[in-house]
Amino acid sequence: MLLVYKTGLWGTDVDVAWLRPSLLTCLFSGQDIRNTVGNIPMEWYKDFPHIGYDLDGKKIFKPLTSKDQLEEFLDKMENPDYWRTVHDKKTDRDIKLTDDQVDLIDRLQRGKFGDVNFDPYEPSVDFFTHETMIHPVTNRPADKRSFIPSLIEKDKVSKLVHAIKMGWIRPRKPRDDTPVYYDLWAQEDPNAILGRHKMHVPAPKLRLPGHEESYNPPPEYLMTEEEKLAWEQQDPEDRKLSFIPKAHSSLRAVPAYSRFIHERFERCLDLYLCPRQRKMRVNVDPEELIPKLPKPRDLQPFPTTQSMVYRGHTDLVRCISVSPSGQWIVSGSDDSTLKFWEVCSGRCMKTVHLDGAIKSVNWNPYASLVLVAACVERSVVIVNPGLGDRLLCSSTDQHLEAYEPPEEQKQQPVTWVAAEGADYEQGLRLRIHHEKAVKQVTWHSRGDYFAVVIPDNGNSQVLIHQLSRRRSQNPFRKNKGQVQRVQFHPSRPFFFVATQRYVRVYNLLKQELTKKLLANCKWISSIAIHPAGDNLIYGSYDSKLAWFDMDLSTKPYKVLRHHKKALRAVSFHKQYPLFASASDDGCVIVCHGMVYKIRSSCP
């Protein structure tokens, strides 16, 4: 280490912290406490009481006390010799440098030699001179390898010769700098058109100038002041002419065209950027592209004439529903009445007076329960019309009266109230009171569950009620959009929720979203599920009727635009391949749509 200082091999920018503290301990202190563990991380001794071994093989123990960060900071602020103190990690001790040691480090930092007495500019001794000397500088005898061939080189040369003979090593070919040219059309048939000209399409020619471009056009080609003002207000792409025709007395009076360079530049861009390709024209008869429609008589039966009119309501009829047997029909009106009709005769069998306008009505699809659900303002009313088989009507009442309230009543979002007195006499059995107005009610195919839509009820827009237990629940924690319609799947545990633009299909057993159908309309008004359950149609306020094949895609399979105004209701026939749509234009359109077991088709 002293020799390094003597010869001045250390460079500039040497700091006290850069010097190895163990070397400083050996060089500048009287005690030679040297740690002999070598160049290893000192963290290995973190869990031991000693920090290494000295020259005698004895353990170098750690000091009993160690400084923390606070003590280090106080020592830095209060100790005047802190700047000249170096911590030796090998011995875990603090070394205070003397003035001579600090001067030595300062000289090293300035790029000077460590020894003060060393003279870097002392005269050099010219050991070798230009004069020829009689005696050699050294009289050492020459080595034997200097005049005997090398056996190792002989072995390498023999291996290379053997590789060349075996063909493993081939000599490099001389480089030929003669330029090589290739004939691109050497393989072309001289009698055929060149390949680069086969798909050549000439650029379209410019239109020849007309009378309006003449220097003295006829008066009918000149613009009036109103036409000039309208021409200036139009966009450049909407103008028929790109200039205003002007009349001049002679050709010499015609000035230079101001847009000449601009039009030439646009013409060059059109020729350069416009792609041109030769397309083979297919001669197809347009009549063959039109599909052959079946004859109407092959699609029968379907309704053709008006057979019955049910009169009795004094205000708008908002909703109707047909019983599962097809013998009865119920209608709800703004005159606050529910009327039950016999389908064949058109006779009003019963009238139920309610507290407000009926927005939705739905007959229970389960044949063993004779019940009708109706939406009246903020309530859903369950009605037993008492029509048909009396045994079924009495068993329905017994089913409702068999309910026993639980011992611990849980908090529910609605209130269940049993009908009494005059309401019970006219057929009312239950009232379910909600916080907001109810828009729609629909039954499950088993007849025990029914769902309602409450559009203005925040995150509780959809509620599912259970009739046997008189229990209500909110199936969704948060509604994505304003709910318009809901529907149960006819046979599987799926629940359809229609918002303004989407129809989401949920699995009630797994409690997850199964599919999201893209409606491609502005506002959905109604939906209907095919009795098989694999097809869905919806009507919208922008006069569209779309058909979804849920096994095929999440986008509409067919979109029909037969109506001129908003659609209010759509429905599938339960037996025949028919579906109907009713609109504000006063028309009900019945379409034929055959649904097969594997795939679906639409007219």
Side-chain angles (χ1 to χ4, degrees):
M1 197 66 185
L2 291 176
L3 181 60
V4 175
Y5 293 151
K6 253 320 189 182
T7 56
L9 295 180
W10 282 7
T12 58
D13 298 333
V14 180
D15 196 1
V16 177
W18 185 85
L19 298 176
R20 188 179 299 175
S22 60
L23 296 178
L24 294 174
T25 306
C26 300
L27 294 174
F28 302 137
S29 63
Q31 299 177 357
D32 189 5
I33 306 175
R34 184 177 299 182
N35 197 344
T36 60
V37 295
N39 188 16
I40 63 172
M42 299 310 297
E43 288 79 4
W44 293 357
Y45 288 91
K46 181 174 61 175
D47 298 332
F48 294 94
H50 61 283
I51 200 171
Y53 303 91
D54 57 6
L55 295 175
D56 297 332
K58 296 180 180 181
K59 295 181 179 180
I60 302 176
F61 290 94
K62 297 179 182 178
L64 297 177
T65 60
S66 60
K67 295 181 181 180
D68 56 3
Q69 294 183 358
L70 181 59
E71 293 178 354
E72 184 73 20
F73 176 73
L74 294 176
D75 190 16
K76 181 179 179 181
M77 302 303 296
E78 297 176 357
N79 187 5
D81 297 330
Y82 179 81
W83 63 276
R84 62 167 67 195
T85 304
V86 179
H87 182 74
D88 186 6
K89 293 183 179 180
K90 294 281 186 176
T91 59
D92 201 6
R93 296 186 181 185
D94 293 335
I95 303 171
K96 179 181 178 182
L97 303 179
T98 62
D99 294 338
D100 296 337
Q101 297 168 356
V102 173
D103 292 340
L104 173 61
I105 295 173
D106 183 57
R107 286 194 301 272
L108 294 176
Q109 286 182 335
R110 287 182 289 149
K112 296 183 178 181
F113 293 93
D115 190 1
V116 182
N117 301 322
F118 178 77
D119 184 11
Y121 305 107
E122 61 184 7
S124 61
V125 178
D126 190 5
F127 191 83
F128 297 96
T129 62
H130 62 280
E131 299 177 358
T132 305
M133 302 177 68
I134 299 175
H135 301 287
V137 178
T138 60
N139 198 13
R140 187 174 64 84
D143 294 331
K144 185 178 180 180
R145 63 175 177 270
S146 63
F147 55 85
I148 294 180
S150 176
L151 298 178
I152 297 176
E153 292 181 357
K154 178 183 177 181
D155 188 23
K156 289 184 179 180
V157 171
S158 63
K159 288 182 179 179
L160 291 174
V161 171
H162 178 67
I164 292 174
K165 289 181 179 180
M166 297 298 294
W168 300 337
I169 299 178
R170 295 182 181 180
R172 295 182 181 177
K173 295 182 180 179
R175 183 176 179 181
D176 187 9
D177 296 334
T178 304
V180 180
Y181 302 99
Y182 300 94
D183 187 4
L184 297 178
W185 298 278
Q187 304 297 330
E188 291 286 341
D189 186 4
N191 298 324
I193 303 176
L194 295 181
R196 60 193 179 95
H197 294 296
K198 289 181 180 179
M199 297 303 294
H200 174 69
V201 179
K205 296 182 180 180
L206 290 174
R207 185 178 62 88
L208 296 177
H211 295 290
E212 65 275 0
E213 298 185 45
S214 173
Y215 73 94
N216 189 13
E220 59 269 16
Y221 289 95
L222 298 177
M223 294 184 180
T224 61
E225 295 297 331
E226 292 79 5
E227 292 176 346
K228 290 181 180 180
L229 182 60
W231 183 87
E232 293 175 354
Q233 292 178 354
Q234 288 179 347
D235 295 332
E237 58 271 8
D238 297 336
R239 297 171 180 171
K240 294 183 179 180
L241 297 176
S242 60
F243 63 94
I244 298 178
K246 296 181 180 179
H248 301 278
S249 58
S250 62
L251 189 60
R252 292 176 299 173
V254 178
Y257 185 43
S258 59
R259 291 180 51 84
F260 175 76
I261 297 178
H262 182 75
E263 289 187 355
R264 293 299 95 191
F265 179 71
E266 288 184 348
R267 174 66 175 172
C268 293
L269 289 181
D270 292 340
L271 297 177
Y272 170 63
L273 298 177
C274 181
R276 295 183 296 274
Q277 184 180 4
R278 187 185 301 275
K279 293 184 178 180
M280 301 302 294
R281 185 175 180 180
V282 181
N283 296 324
V284 179
D285 187 8
E287 298 295 335
E288 296 180 357
L289 299 177
I290 302 176
K292 296 181 179 180
L293 297 178
K295 297 181 180 180
R297 65 172 179 267
D298 296 337
L299 304 178
Q300 290 180 349
F302 55 84
T304 55
T305 58
Q306 176 180 307
S307 60
M308 189 71 65
V309 178
Y310 304 91
R311 300 183 184 276
H313 287 288
T314 59
D315 208 337
L316 293 176
V317 178
R318 293 285 183 181
C319 48
I320 61 173
S321 181
V322 183
S323 64
S325 61
Q327 183 180 0
W328 317 101
I329 186 172
V330 59
S331 60
S333 172
D334 285 351
D335 59 3
S336 304
T337 59
L338 274 177
K339 289 186 178 293
F340 295 87
W341 314 81
E342 189 177 12
V343 174
C344 297
S345 63
R347 178 185 175 188
C348 180
M349 305 299 296
K350 189 173 184 178
T351 301
V352 179
H353 296 274
L354 300 175
D355 301 334
I358 293 93
K359 300 297 183 183
S360 176
V361 65
N362 200 349
W363 205 299
N364 194 321
Y366 194 58
S368 299
L369 295 177
V370 185
L371 291 175
V372 174
C375 299
V376 183
E377 301 297 337
R378 298 187 178 185
S379 302
V380 175
V381 180
I382 306 298
V383 180
N384 184 354
L387 300 176
D389 192 350
R390 294 183 179 181
L391 294 177
L392 288 179
C393 296
S394 60
S395 64
T396 301
D397 290 340
Q398 292 176 4
H399 176 73
L400 295 177
E401 293 172 357
Y403 167 74
E404 294 182 0
E407 297 179 358
E408 296 182 2
Q409 291 287 344
K410 296 182 180 180
Q411 186 178 2
Q412 299 191 62
V414 299
T415 305
W416 293 72
V417 179
E420 297 177 353
D423 291 341
Y424 189 88
E425 293 295 332
Q426 63 175 349
L428 271 68
R429 297 296 181 263
L430 290 173
R431 285 181 181 269
I432 302 99
H433 297 286
H434 301 75
E435 296 180 357
K436 301 289 183 179
V438 184
K439 182 179 180 181
Q440 184 210 359
V441 60
T442 179
W443 287 95
H444 188 264
S445 58
R446 297 295 180 86
D448 192 26
Y449 292 90
F450 61 96
V452 296
V453 176
I454 312 169
D456 301 329
N457 203 22
N459 290 331
S460 301
Q461 299 184 34
V462 180
L463 295 178
I464 297 179
H465 305 298
Q466 187 177 6
L467 187 63
S468 60
R469 297 185 180 181
R470 298 186 185 182
R471 186 176 59 181
S472 303
Q473 59 181 342
N474 182 10
F476 306 111
R477 184 177 302 174
K478 184 178 180 181
N479 295 107
K480 298 180 180 180
Q482 187 176 6
V483 180
Q484 301 298 315
R485 286 289 186 271
V486 296
Q487 196 81 20
F488 287 100
H489 194 278
S491 57
R492 303 177 66 184
F494 289 154
F495 190 60
F496 297 82
V497 179
T499 56
Q500 294 181 1
R501 294 178 179 269
Y502 302 98
V503 179
R504 292 177 172 86
V505 185
Y506 294 92
N507 191 325
L508 295 178
L509 291 181
K510 297 182 180 180
Q511 297 181 0
E512 63 181 9
L513 178 64
T514 303
K515 193 172 294 185
K516 180 179 178 181
L517 306 179
L518 307 177
N520 292 335
C521 68
K522 295 182 179 179
W523 200 305
I524 295 177
S525 61
S526 56
I527 61 172
I529 314 296
H530 192 269
D534 294 334
N535 292 268
L536 177 145
I537 59 174
Y538 77 82
S540 64
Y541 289 115
D542 52 355
S543 65
K544 292 181 182 179
L545 186 145
W547 177 315
F548 281 99
D549 186 348
M550 291 183 288
D551 295 335
L552 182 65
S553 173
T554 58
K555 295 182 180 180
Y557 172 64
K558 290 288 184 181
V559 178
L560 306 179
R561 295 179 176 87
H562 297 324
H563 291 281
K564 297 180 180 179
K565 292 185 179 181
L567 275 74
R568 293 292 177 177
V570 293
S571 180
F572 273 106
H573 198 283
K574 293 184 179 181
Q575 298 178 358
Y576 298 131
L578 303 174
F579 61 90
S581 59
S583 172
D584 286 345
D585 56 5
C587 297
V588 175
I589 297 180
V590 180
C591 300
H592 182 276
M594 179 64 71
V595 176
Y596 299 95
K597 293 183 180 180
I598 300 177
R599 54 173 298 185
S600 61
S601 63
C602 186

